Amino acid sequence: MNKAIGIVSCENFTDLVVITDAMLKAAKVELIKYEKMGDGRVSVVITGSIASVRASLDAAGDSQRSAKVISALIANPAEGLEMLLQGPNAVVKENRDIGIATDDDYRFVDY
C-alpha cells in the first residue's frame, strides 16, 4: 500500500467539523492532527492509502461548497515529513541528543 498524507484547511471550526466528518466517512483514513492556525483558520491532517486520501479530499470539497477550503495530497511522503507535521517541538526533542537548541534555550512569547 502506498501511503499518503492529506491536509485540509478552512476558515472556521464549524466548517472543519462538517468537512472532517465527510472525509472520515468517505474512505478508510486516520485523522492524525487538528490545528488552529490563527485568524479563525483551522486545519486537519489525515493519512491512509493514496486512493483513500484522494477520496477523502474529494469528499471534503463536496461537503462544504460554500466554504473556502484549501487541500493538498502528498503521495508517498518523504521520510521525516510526518515529524514536521507534529510541530517544532517534536523536531527539537528528537534532536536533543545531538546538541541542537531546545525549548529551554528560547523564550517563547504569545502575541
Side-chain angles (χ1 to χ4, degrees):
M1 171 177 77
N2 292 329
K3 188 174 182 180
I5 294 173
I7 305 168
V8 175
S9 173
C10 64
E11 294 179 334
N12 65 67
F13 184 74
T14 303
D15 287 341
L16 186 71
V17 170
V18 172
I19 289 166
T20 303
D21 180 61
M23 290 170 47
L24 296 175
K25 289 176 179 175
K28 187 176 180 181
V29 293
E30 180 183 353
L31 178 63
I32 60 172
K33 182 178 182 179
Y34 150 74
E35 184 173 352
K36 295 183 208 177
M37 299 165 46
D39 291 337
R41 293 202 64 81
V42 287
S43 67
V44 292
V45 180
I46 60 169
T47 188
S49 71
I50 295 171
S52 294
V53 171
R54 182 170 288 128
S56 289
L57 294 178
D58 289 345
D62 292 343
S63 68
Q64 288 295 91
R65 293 208 182 270
S66 63
K68 184 175 181 182
V69 177
I70 301 169
S71 65
L73 182 139
I74 303 167
N76 303 312
E79 191 174 318
L81 186 61
E82 287 182 4
M83 186 171 32
L84 173 69
L85 294 172
Q86 294 173 9
N89 292 337
V91 174
V92 169
K93 290 175 184 173
E94 180 77 15
N95 293 319
R96 192 173 293 235
D97 295 337
I98 59 173
I100 292 178
T102 67
D103 289 351
D104 297 331
D105 297 321
Y106 297 97
R107 181 172 163 251
F108 293 97
V109 178
D110 288 331
Y111 293 98

